[in-house]
Amino acid sequence: MNKFSSRVYQWMDERFHLSDAIDFMKKKYVPVHRHSVWYYFGGVSLFLFIIQVVTGILLLMYYKSGEDQAFESIHFIMSKVQFGWLIRSIHSWAANLFILAAMIHMFSVYFERAYRKPRELTWFTGMLMFFVGLTFGFSGYLLPWNELAYFATKVGTDIAGVIPIIGEPMLYFLRGGEDVTGATLSRFFGLHVAVLPAVFTVLLGVHLLFVQIQGMSTPLHMQHLEEHEIKKMPFFPNFVLRDLLLWLIVLNILAILAVYFPWELGRKADPFMPAPAGIKPEWYFLFMFQTLKYIPGHVLFIDGELFGILMFGLGGLLWTMVPIWDRKSAEGKRNKTVTYFGLLIVIFIITLTIVGWLV
Amino acid sequence: MVEHPARETQKDKRDFLKLILVGSSFAWLASIIYPVISYLKPPKQSEVVVKSVKAGKISDFANDSGTIIKFGSKPVLLIRNANGEFKAFSATCTHLDCTVQYRNDFGLIWCACHNGKYDLNGRNVSGPPPRPLEAFVVTLQGDDILIHKS
């Protein structure tokens, strides 16, 4: 067998020069320091994305889009298809864990200033992927066509409609008409299973390519050290094996969550029923949802909802553009504004998420 | 320095060709993007314009209760107050499009999404709604309740 595998390797190597890639990986090192643990969250997000692709394809075998069929088909998957409940539960849980892992990855990159020159484009592709990830969550949430999803989509798309000038055409475009109907479901389905995966895969490819070319970023406080003073571990096999071990742990956590806390289906959406008491969006939109509750009908001369959306838009833009406005970190200097802005956002998000959860 | 006339003509030609190339590239792109965007714009479907609906019989609605009635494709909230009077409002919250409900424990119209509140005249009294609810006219025809657009 060993002989066979080495012959296969040789056969491939002659044609595709595999040894070059292996040499490259052997020469690649990952810095070791007290913040090294954060390096793993990009990999965890990648692993959860792979799980989403696999379980998503499996769900596609039975899912039917359409007002009269969507809810029923998920019910069918959960009650009649063997292990259907498990696949659906894993898909829902992994979606949430993906957002969580991507958030941890994003915050750690932010506070470590890993976005600084020369990694600006890695940050931008990452941020784009994060927004695509949120759109994945938002569009996937509607697909079971249940009560919560229906109102979440009404609110979410109406928020887009509030934006001046482009808002109304965008609302029509997103909903496939004036209201949230089966047309919206078809659009979201197409977006969720075709458009977003394609966009995400391209961005992911570019993001990973950048990481491979540039290697891992070292924290600012290590920048003055000489090359030989930095503790390192080889990317292959040391780092890769640690990565795989963590993936295994994540898979176990996912299995426990999916089995012991199966994702509920809720009640079928009915456009002629009032929004149920206690309605909430997914946890990662909760802070925005809660903030919108506190903003009064009018702020100065504009509608409160528009004011809220403008504020969120501005905050998101500032966050995304941090490699542009934070020049100090690129020069190896400490920039306290970045830390304070980051802490303000983290505290704001955590506080409003907890309040939204409890109220 | 004197420019070579032949070289000058060649530069002009090249600039002209560049312009043609860039121009036609844009035209080509537009010829693809325009139909795709037009395709994605949902066509306006002619809906039957509903001016009034029959909500049911007076005896179907208890005092101090609210019911959502289908008004074409839109929800309308029909309220019968404690005195037995009927009132109707659009059930679509003016904040972010959720469907409101009558809460007899508050004596108000309430939106569960962002805790918006309206009084029984449809006026926004608390929370984020920026405008009052659109009012509908309720008339009684014998035992039947009719709801009209005002």
Side-chain angles (χ1 to χ4, degrees):
Chain A
M1 187 62 197
N2 238 347
K3 215 173 166 190
F4 176 73
S5 58
S6 67
R7 272 174 60 196
V8 170
Y9 175 78
Q10 248 178 359
W11 190 92
M12 293 288 283
D13 194 31
E14 270 174 35
R15 285 155 183 85
F16 301 108
H17 308 289
L18 293 184
S19 42
D20 289 353
I22 289 177
D23 280 347
F24 173 75
M25 282 205 285
K26 271 186 186 160
K27 273 183 230 145
K28 221 180 117 146
Y29 287 93
V30 177
V32 178
H33 48 84
R34 63 195 154 101
H35 299 304
S36 287
V37 60
W38 305 116
Y39 288 142
Y40 294 95
F41 282 89
V44 170
S45 315
L46 171 66
F47 175 60
L48 289 164
F49 176 69
I50 296 168
I51 289 182
Q52 287 309 80
V53 173
V54 175
T55 50
I57 291 171
L58 289 173
L59 288 173
L60 262 180
M61 302 290 156
Y62 291 102
Y63 177 77
K64 292 174 189 156
S65 171
E67 261 171 303
D68 305 324
Q69 299 187 93
F71 183 86
E72 286 75 6
S73 71
I74 302 268
H75 190 259
F76 177 75
I77 290 172
M78 290 174 69
S79 58
K80 296 278 194 286
V81 180
Q82 292 196 53
F83 293 107
W85 62 274
L86 182 66
I87 303 294
R88 196 243 163 179
S89 196
I90 288 181
H91 195 73
S92 305
W93 271 111
N96 283 277
L97 293 184
F98 168 79
I99 300 279
L100 182 67
M103 267 191 178
I104 296 173
H105 182 46
M106 176 182 78
F107 284 120
S108 63
V109 167
Y110 179 90
F111 286 109
E112 295 282 346
R113 320 284 201 266
Y115 53 76
R116 69 186 188 275
K117 191 186 169 190
R119 293 184 177 77
E120 303 95 322
L121 290 181
T122 320
W123 167 265
F124 289 136
T125 48
M127 280 311 294
L128 278 176
M129 268 195 284
F130 184 65
F131 292 129
V132 173
L134 292 178
T135 319
F136 254 125
F138 184 64
S139 57
Y141 198 55
L142 179 69
L143 301 188
W145 197 247
N146 59 23
E147 219 172 29
L148 290 180
Y150 175 77
F151 285 108
T153 309
K154 260 181 115 94
V155 171
T157 47
D158 206 68
I159 284 176
V162 171
I163 302 165
I165 306 165
I166 55 160
E168 211 183 309
M170 209 153 89
L171 179 117
Y172 266 79
F173 166 75
L174 286 171
R175 289 184 174 179
E178 196 185 333
D179 292 310
V180 174
T181 59
T184 322
L185 187 56
S186 297
R187 287 196 169 211
F188 276 37
F189 179 55
L191 198 70
H192 191 78
V193 304
V195 182
L196 297 177
V199 174
F200 195 91
T201 308
V202 172
L203 288 169
L204 181 63
V206 176
H207 191 75
L208 291 178
L209 185 73
F210 288 164
V211 175
Q212 288 308 312
I213 291 173
Q214 298 182 321
M216 304 289 203
S217 152
T218 38
L220 268 180
H221 67 87
M222 289 172 70
Q223 226 171 237
H224 65 278
L225 298 177
E226 295 290 326
E227 192 65 26
H228 65 272
E229 288 176 312
I230 297 174
K231 218 175 134 192
K232 292 171 189 166
M233 79 164 90
F235 177 73
F236 187 82
N238 301 39
F239 187 79
V240 171
L241 285 177
R242 280 174 167 79
D243 234 353
L244 288 178
L245 181 66
L246 187 59
W247 289 17
L248 200 64
I249 293 170
V250 170
L251 187 65
N252 279 296
I253 295 172
L254 187 59
I256 290 168
L257 289 171
V259 171
Y260 290 105
F261 306 96
W263 209 266
E264 286 185 19
L265 181 56
R267 283 199 311 204
K268 188 177 172 175
D270 181 353
F272 293 99
M273 283 291 281
I279 188 166
K280 278 182 185 115
E282 292 277 63
W283 63 270
Y284 42 88
F285 291 127
L286 207 53
F287 73 96
M288 290 197 262
F289 168 83
Q290 196 59 29
T291 313
L292 286 177
K293 277 190 184 179
Y294 295 135
I295 299 174
H298 295 279
V299 178
L300 302 172
F301 50 90
I302 53 173
D303 274 4
E305 63 222 39
L306 179 61
F307 176 79
I309 289 147
L310 288 178
M311 284 297 119
F312 281 125
L314 191 69
L317 190 72
L318 270 174
W319 181 267
T320 309
M321 290 299 157
V322 65
I324 310 277
W325 58 263
D326 174 23
R327 303 265 172 177
K328 274 191 182 171
S329 298
E331 293 162 10
K333 293 178 201 152
R334 282 173 66 101
N335 189 347
K336 283 195 177 157
T337 317
V338 175
T339 314
Y340 294 145
F341 178 67
L343 282 176
L344 186 78
I345 293 218
V346 172
I347 292 167
F348 174 76
I349 291 178
I350 292 178
T351 313
L352 277 135
T353 305
I354 293 172
V355 173
W357 194 262
L358 296 177
V359 174
Chain B
M1 211 173 98
V2 185
E3 280 282 333
H4 201 282
R7 205 174 286 159
E8 187 70 8
T9 334
Q10 218 171 19
K11 191 178 170 290
D12 283 351
K13 263 189 198 166
R14 195 169 292 144
D15 284 350
F16 178 70
L17 283 174
K18 256 189 209 164
L19 192 75
I20 296 276
L21 185 70
V22 171
S24 53
S25 302
F26 274 112
W28 178 79
L29 261 181
S31 73
I32 291 174
I33 292 169
Y34 180 72
V36 172
I37 290 183
S38 308
Y39 176 85
L40 288 172
K41 253 194 246 165
K44 288 248 182 287
Q45 277 165 334
S46 50
E47 273 181 49
V48 183
V49 181
V50 180
K51 284 188 178 150
S52 72
V53 293
K54 199 171 117 182
K57 300 213 173 293
I58 295 173
S59 52
D60 296 341
F61 303 93
N63 279 8
D64 201 18
S65 72
T67 313
I68 304 269
I69 307 287
K70 279 186 188 184
F71 196 89
S73 62
K74 305 281 182 198
V76 165
L77 178 64
L78 178 68
I79 297 170
R80 187 170 193 189
N81 66 18
N83 305 327
E85 291 164 23
F86 286 96
K87 280 192 172 172
F89 303 98
S90 159
T92 306
C93 183
T94 56
H95 179 225
L96 287 171
D97 213 23
C98 275
T99 310
V100 298
Q101 56 187 291
Y102 173 65
R103 287 278 298 253
N104 52 11
D105 49 345
F106 297 164
L108 288 169
I109 300 167
W110 180 63
C111 180
C113 286
H114 299 92
N115 202 24
K117 287 172 187 158
Y118 304 85
D119 66 13
L120 294 188
N121 292 315
R123 273 196 304 258
N124 46 321
V125 286
S126 154
R131 282 173 294 280
L133 294 170
E134 185 193 347
F136 283 68
V137 180
V138 182
T139 53
L140 303 177
Q141 218 169 55
D143 196 28
D144 290 333
I145 303 166
L146 293 172
I147 302 175
H148 314 266
K149 253 191 172 300
S150 53

